[in-house]
Amino acid sequence: MYLFYVSEPLALYVEPVAGARRGAAYRPAAPAAGAEGRLAEGTLRLEPPTDGTLTPSCLYFGYSRPFLQELAAYSRRAERPSLVRLLSRGAEAEVLSRPGLPVRLGHRVEPELRLPLEAQLARAALPRGARVAVINPFGLAFGDSIVMLTALRVFRGRLEERLGRVDLDILQHPDTAETEELYLRSGVADALHHLPAPVSLLARYDAYVDLSVDYASHGLPWPDDLLELFAIDPCTVPAESKRNSLPGWPRAAAELEPELAALRMRGLPLLLVHHRASLPLRSIPDDRAAALVAEVLEQTDWTVVSALPLPLDHPRFADLSGLTPRFEHLAHLISRVDAFLCVDTCVYHAADAADVPGVVLFNSLDPSARTTYYPGVHGILLGADDSPILGRPLSSDSADLEYAESLWDQVDTASVVARIREMLAARMAAAA
């Protein structure tokens, strides 16, 4: 988290972001003459300090580095380089320790301040029915959000064991409208507020957790890393509590079920294939994905469905991309198929929530970092242990992209099909 103030009035307009399921973000601009307060729905006006005095109403907080870069770029374009002033780390610490501001919970970078959550709660002496805020940098991607919800459930449970019913709010930048809907429909979060916001918003809470802190994973699975950010020892959380959960989607069900019912009438297993991730490094090119699906169809009698368009014409392939415009449609589709085959994307996190088995093709992460607690998910790592992109899932380097594309030719379709057959047989046996 960072604290900042502005030297002149500044308006932040919400505007759509290009790209599938990417929601909205802020665009800074000079406010219109005479405009006061909120200029329009979702638009925030930032005010400079009066007489140079910093108060909780003119001091703002956020965490997003891209947002900071956007503010800096606007300042340069407007030829006002000192428009935004960041507080030093020491000044931030002094402000956040003032009376009236909430107690900080969760992981601390400083070793001497690291205490388990239970010890932090005992020291904080929070009131029953406390209001707690979570500063959440994991609201951009669906996969991250699904796993974050799992950690939030554990965190909320620990709070309520000690404090009774609490109010738990999410504070995040307005990056993805659909992940916001997911948090609010989950039953875990009570409200969601957009950042940046005045420090006076933070002062409404009894405690807060800042998940944007620097944190170096020491080889733990992703759910355990997130639990550690809440200062929860992962060893104290049962494996079944690290499984995911998603709400139902009645609207998506009503729109998808007629087509799914028609596909079900064939009496064949339904396999969902999803070949794209949020980044090119982890995505299979369309032509190679079409070839992979064709190989699966040749080796099975399954019906293959996709929520993404593919250049493939086959009587047992159904392109459902026209029926899956939003995440809720994809989540419902995942819950209604018999198995899946995907790349490293949100699909397998949602599939775990629906107990749908399948195979994930990884190229830049060890599968154990993502699938340890998903009993129905089998990860396959492409490439050797000395792969140049292993451990670099966010890389956009052209050489890395070229190497990643070469890995898709290593997929052993027969082995993938054999593994999915085993999973389908186990699922049928369990149902029987």
Side-chain angles (χ1 to χ4, degrees), residues 297-310:
L297 290 166
E298 182 180 353
Q299 297 177 27
T300 71
D301 63 352
W302 303 338
T303 296
V304 176
V305 298
S306 175
L308 301 167
L310 275 176

Side-chain angles (χ1 to χ4, degrees), residues 263 270-273 303-307 316-320 333 337:
L263 293 171
L270 283 183
L271 175 73
L272 170 67
V273 174
T303 296
V304 176
V305 298
S306 175
R316 284 187 285 114
F317 172 71
D319 175 0
L320 302 183
L333 175 60
V337 298

Side-chain angles (χ1 to χ4, degrees), residues 363 381-390 403 407 410:
N363 65 1
L381 178 61
L382 305 176
D385 291 340
D386 59 353
S387 164
I389 63 173
L390 190 59
Y403 178 80
L407 291 179
Q410 296 183 15

Side-chain angles (χ1 to χ4, degrees), residues 46 51 76 227 269 290 343 388 392 417 424:
L46 307 185
D51 300 325
R76 290 193 297 271
L227 288 170
V343 295
R392 302 178 60 197
V417 166
L424 288 172

Side-chain angles (χ1 to χ4, degrees), residues 231-250:
I232 296 172
D233 181 354
C235 295
T236 67
V237 180
E240 58 268 23
S241 296
K242 300 173 186 178
R243 301 281 309 277
N244 298 323
S245 178
L246 287 175
W249 306 96

Side-chain angles (χ1 to χ4, degrees), residues 15-255:
E15 64 177 0
V17 176
R21 305 187 180 111
R22 274 294 177 269
Y26 281 128
R27 173 175 58 86
E36 296 182 359
R38 289 190 173 272
L39 307 178
E41 182 68 26
T43 302
L44 180 67
R45 179 185 174 116
L46 307 185
E47 292 290 352
T50 302
D51 300 325
T53 302
L54 290 176
T55 68
S57 296
C58 67
L59 187 59
Y60 301 90
F61 72 103
Y63 61 81
S64 169
R65 187 175 299 275
F67 171 72
L68 266 184
Q69 292 168 340
E70 182 66 26
L71 285 183
Y74 172 76
S75 298
R76 290 193 297 271
R77 290 195 304 270
E79 298 183 345
R80 294 197 294 275
S82 60
L83 175 62
V84 178
R85 307 283 186 89
L86 286 178
L87 268 63
S88 68
R89 286 300 183 189
E92 283 182 7
E94 190 276 327
V95 168
L96 294 173
S97 65
R98 290 178 183 175
L101 286 170
V103 174
R104 179 176 169 183
L105 304 174
H107 174 79
R108 302 293 288 264
V109 175
E110 308 85 356
E112 68 276 9
L113 296 177
R114 292 178 191 168
L115 291 172
L117 178 63
E118 288 71 19
Q120 294 180 21
L121 292 173
R123 174 182 289 188
L126 298 175
R128 294 189 66 80
R131 296 196 65 193
V132 181
V134 175
I135 299 172
N136 177 37
F138 300 105
L140 179 63
F142 290 103
D144 290 351
S145 295
I146 292 169
V147 184
M148 174 51 64
L149 282 171
T150 299
L152 276 172
R153 287 187 187 91
V154 177
F155 175 63
R156 180 166 198 142
R158 296 289 174 96
L159 292 178
E160 295 189 339
E161 285 175 6
R162 178 177 289 270
L163 305 173
R165 177 70 168 81
V166 299
D167 285 333
L168 185 63
D169 292 356
I170 303 295
L171 312 183
Q172 64 184 45
H173 286 263
D175 295 312
T176 309
E178 288 186 73
T179 62
E180 293 181 11
E181 183 181 0
L182 175 59
Y183 280 103
L184 293 174
R185 284 179 52 83
S186 69
V188 181
D190 294 294
L192 188 145
H193 298 285
H194 286 164
L195 298 180
V199 171
S200 56
L201 172 68
L202 198 60
R204 299 179 194 174
Y205 296 93
D206 300 295
Y208 74 99
V209 179
D210 181 8
L211 299 180
S212 68
V213 296
D214 291 331
Y215 172 77
S217 172
H218 39 281
L220 295 178
W222 183 219
D224 291 345
D225 274 339
L226 293 181
L227 288 170
E228 287 210 334
L229 281 172
F230 286 104
I232 296 172
D233 181 354
C235 295
T236 67
V237 180
E240 58 268 23
S241 296
K242 300 173 186 178
R243 301 281 309 277
N244 298 323
S245 178
L246 287 175
W249 306 96
R251 179 177 63 183
E255 294 172 359

Side-chain angles (χ1 to χ4, degrees), residues 264-322:
R264 284 278 179 203
M265 289 183 65
R266 301 179 182 183
L268 304 172
L270 283 183
L271 175 73
L272 170 67
V273 174
H274 201 85
H275 67 284
R276 276 188 217 152
S278 55
L279 295 172
L281 185 82
R282 291 176 276 158
S283 300
I284 307 177
D286 288 356
D287 57 346
R288 182 65 190 90
L292 175 61
V293 172
E295 292 166 8
V296 171
L297 290 166
E298 182 180 353
Q299 297 177 27
T300 71
D301 63 352
W302 303 338
T303 296
V304 176
V305 298
S306 175
L308 301 167
L310 275 176
L312 178 66
D313 184 15
H314 191 283
R316 284 187 285 114
F317 172 71
D319 175 0
L320 302 183
S321 58

